[in-house]
Amino acid sequence: MLDESLLDAPEALAEADRRGLLRGAAEAGARVRTAVRLAAEAGITELKPDGRPRAVLIAGPGTAPAGVADLLGALAGVGCPVTRIHPTGVAPAAGALRWELPGWAGPVDLLLVATPDGSEPGLSLLVDQAYRRGCTVVAVAPARTPITEAVEGAHGLFAPMATAPYDQDAPLAASAPGVLWALLTPLLALLDRAGLLAAPPEALLKVADRLDHVAERCGPAIATYNNPAKTLAADLADALPVIWTEGPTAGPAGRRFTAALAELAGRPALTAELPEALAAHSVLLSGALAAGADPDDFFRDRVAEAQALHARVVLLRDRPSGGLSAAPAARELALSHDTAISELEPEEGGELETLAEMIAITDFAAVYLALASGA
């Protein structure tokens, strides 16, 4: 159960935030600025690659590297395939995970290693394997971790991850706000230099500004009625989030939201991209999860009986190309099945800025759900 009264009690939220999630969400913009500086100091902004790589491979543990791969793939578009190397192992522990290069990987391919830990022996072995295959290696991880030596031995490029002193107090959740941007920002700068996407330093600083703007709008001191993240958290209090996305970068943002809801708040969610989502979830909205499925729900004793779980659509939209939109059909399908719908659309700006806004608001919403539900 969600304690909605907690949402408008900043001091109580701070007391409940034992993992520092609100602080991490508020500092996302600062992480981007630090990452831009560290990337420049590592020499990324001065690189002059000899042409584009044939393929980009990304390896790392947990949901943050998965989100990085998803986002880079969406931003690179058809310019270059971006593939995540999924780990294998008997447990999600640093010493148990292993990664293997695909058989076709070779000298014309680029391996990116992204990890908020840096102590995984499997990643060091992967870097050594990439060196023997002739792949170019770039890694983003905390400084002075074992992966640093592996990358140096492979004559690769290492960019320190933007961290804060309190990050050492407890292990970082892979979906924790700030981790994604600390890993993603240097790689955006790198692929900008490789000509795979447009992310010059000035664009990245605009991303930091947009993240700061969202932090001002969604901070714990802002009341729910004027706070889009708290409003979304309250909307999802007793609902199964059904996240529908539209636009080139909204898909990865929606999948990131799904991962954050599970890891931070312990909440399941479904996600799909429009217009396919309308067919994929139409039967779901016609079944027991639709609000109109229980005609006696209005007369139910809300004190003695547990509230039934109903779906709630979250429409997460970037501006689709060509002006074509399935949003009207999505609204019609949801409302025809008495299913409530929440909508989130970023303010005007560049592609990276609107992406940052979608991720930041949904990150804050996941954090508020986690804190108000005692996760």
Side-chain angles (χ1 to χ4, degrees):
M1 293 293 292
L2 185 79
D3 182 1
E4 292 191 39
S5 65
L6 192 67
L7 293 177
D8 286 324
E11 293 183 1
L13 281 172
E15 185 176 346
D17 189 14
R18 295 180 296 274
R19 292 177 287 175
L21 298 177
L22 281 172
R23 177 173 56 187
E27 293 178 352
R31 296 262 186 169
V32 171
R33 292 187 183 88
T34 302
V36 170
R37 176 178 58 79
L38 293 174
E41 292 175 356
I44 287 179
T45 55
E46 302 300 323
L47 289 176
K48 296 179 181 179
D50 295 328
R52 296 183 174 190
R54 176 182 62 177
V56 175
L57 301 165
I58 301 180
T63 54
V68 167
D70 200 4
L71 289 164
L72 291 180
L75 292 168
V78 298
C80 177
V82 177
T83 303
R84 185 187 177 215
I85 303 175
H86 294 271
T88 58
V90 297
L97 296 174
R98 293 293 181 269
W99 290 261
E100 290 289 336
L101 286 176
W104 49 262
V108 292
D109 301 312
L110 172 63
L111 172 65
L112 305 179
V113 176
T115 170
D117 186 333
S119 66
E120 303 89 349
L123 286 178
S124 297
L125 293 173
L126 177 69
V127 169
D128 181 63
Q129 184 184 14
Y131 175 63
R132 287 185 275 109
R133 295 269 199 98
C135 298
T136 301
V137 178
V138 178
V140 180
R144 296 180 295 279
T145 52
I147 193 67
T148 309
E149 296 180 6
V151 173
E152 291 176 353
H155 303 290
L157 176 63
F158 178 80
M161 176 183 167
T163 58
Y166 55 80
D167 288 344
Q168 311 304 320
D169 297 341
L172 288 171
S175 292
V179 174
L180 176 75
W181 291 108
L183 295 175
L184 178 64
T185 302
L187 300 181
L188 287 172
L190 174 73
L191 296 192
D192 173 75
R193 299 302 301 170
L196 299 182
L197 49 82
E202 56 270 21
L204 295 176
L205 293 178
K206 287 183 179 180
V207 166
D209 292 340
R210 182 65 66 96
L211 291 171
D212 287 345
H213 178 59
V214 172
E216 292 174 0
R217 294 170 57 205
C218 298
I222 307 301
T224 299
Y225 69 86
N226 202 31
N227 186 320
K230 287 184 178 180
T231 299
L232 182 56
D235 288 345
L236 299 177
D238 298 301
L240 172 68
V242 179
I243 302 166
W244 291 347
T245 64
E246 184 173 59
T249 57
R255 290 186 285 274
R256 155 78 181 178
F257 187 28
T258 300
L261 285 171
E263 187 171 1
L264 301 183
R267 296 295 188 97
L270 301 173
T271 185
E273 297 187 25
L274 293 175
E276 289 90 347
L278 303 182
H281 292 158
S282 61
V283 175
L284 182 150
L285 297 186
S286 302
L289 289 173
D294 183 2
D296 298 323
D297 183 70
F298 181 80
F299 301 100
R300 178 177 50 80
D301 186 338
R302 284 165 167 75
V303 176
E305 300 178 24
Q307 184 170 344
L309 180 68
H310 294 311
R312 186 181 185 101
V313 170
V314 178
L315 185 55
L316 189 60
R317 299 181 65 213
D318 196 2
R319 290 161 185 80
S321 58
L324 298 175
S325 174
R331 298 185 189 102
E332 181 179 354
L333 177 63
L335 297 178
S336 68
H337 293 295
D338 297 322
T339 300
I341 185 168
S342 301
E343 297 194 36
L344 182 61
E345 185 172 332
E347 298 176 1
E348 294 285 348
E351 185 177 42
L352 289 175
E353 293 172 76
T354 57
L355 171 64
E357 181 174 337
M358 286 187 289
I359 291 175
I361 292 177
T362 52
D363 272 356
F364 266 105
V367 168
Y368 285 127
L369 272 170
L371 299 182
S373 60

